[in-house]
Every structure is written in structure tokens, then in C-alpha cells.
Amino acid sequence: MPATVVFDGDCLFCQRSVRFIHRHDRRDRFRFAARQAAAGTRLLAEAGVGLAPNSMVLLDEEGTWLRSDAVLRIAVQLGRPWSAAGVLLLVPRPLRDAAYRVVAAIRHRISGMLPACELPDAALRAKILE
């Protein structure tokens, strides 16, 4: 089964992150589920995560990953140049997650500075679990 990224479907910043992952996912490794959708809620419950507010979640064959672990593991799987971010996994998790929490706390303000998101193309829609 492909890795699944569970994201906040109400957050423009998160939606743009999903588009970025999809655009750079050359090996077709990822599927996506908004945490507000039935599939996202079910996957989070099965993983024992709850609704995981303010956290992107990666579910893959190795486990369930939250916050900076999720983002960096996704980057590693995207290949070059994004995989270079994997070196940040050597930074202690509390430090990485502190930086993640800062971005998570201001993501809605960041979203307000971004242009409106267009509808996903057919290829991305096929990867979104309902």
C-alpha cells in the first residue's frame, strides 16, 4: 500500500503542501487524505493518533509519523534535491518539532498571503482518499 499523508483539508498552507508533494512524487509513492474526510478520520483512528491537530501525519509501512518526522520522511522519499532534508533527522526531535510547531501556529496567517488554490487536477484527485 502506498504511503498516506493525512493533512488539514481546511488549511491552504497544507493544501499547497499536498500539491508540492504530488508534483515531486516521481515514484507515485503517496496518497492523501484530509483529516476532515471519512478516510482521514478512519486512518488517524486506526493509527491511534486522534485528529492530530496542527500536525501533518505520514502513515507508511514503517509506522506513523507526526510533525517534523512526517515532513522530513516525505522529503526523503521525494528524491533529489528534497531528500537532502533527511540530514535534519539527525537534529534532536524536540528541536525539530519546536520549529514545526512555530510554522503550524502561523500557517493560517501564511495561507492568507498565498494566492487562492485552484482545484486539483485529475491525477491528484485520483490520489485523494475520500
Side-chain angles (χ1 to χ4, degrees):
M1 175 171 165
T4 302
V5 177
V6 182
F7 66 100
D8 182 352
D10 292 333
C11 172
L12 184 59
F13 185 83
C14 299
Q15 292 171 18
R16 289 207 176 263
S17 297
V18 166
R19 288 178 187 282
F20 178 89
I21 296 165
H22 169 67
R23 190 170 53 251
H24 294 93
D25 183 15
R26 295 185 186 116
R27 296 185 190 130
D28 198 31
R29 293 181 181 211
F30 297 103
R31 298 296 176 264
F32 306 96
R35 74 172 188 231
Q36 296 85 350
T41 302
R42 179 182 49 78
L43 289 167
L44 292 174
E46 288 172 1
V49 176
L51 289 180
N54 294 325
S55 180
M56 182 170 279
V57 180
L58 172 65
L59 306 165
D60 66 16
E61 66 278 351
E62 294 181 33
T64 301
W65 311 99
L66 303 171
R67 294 176 286 281
S68 64
D69 283 333
V71 171
L72 294 173
R73 287 175 175 276
I74 290 166
V76 166
Q77 293 184 49
L78 292 179
R80 288 188 213 159
W82 315 111
S83 59
V87 72
L88 295 173
L89 288 166
L90 299 173
V91 174
R93 182 180 294 131
L95 293 176
R96 288 186 280 118
D97 282 351
Y100 183 96
R101 284 184 177 97
V102 167
V103 173
I106 62 171
R107 65 193 166 107
H108 291 290
R109 280 185 267 163
I110 294 170
S111 296
M113 295 181 249
L114 299 172
C117 216
E118 69 266 3
L119 293 173
D121 62 22
L124 178 52
R125 280 194 313 270
K127 291 183 174 186
I128 297 175
L129 307 174
E130 297 297 329

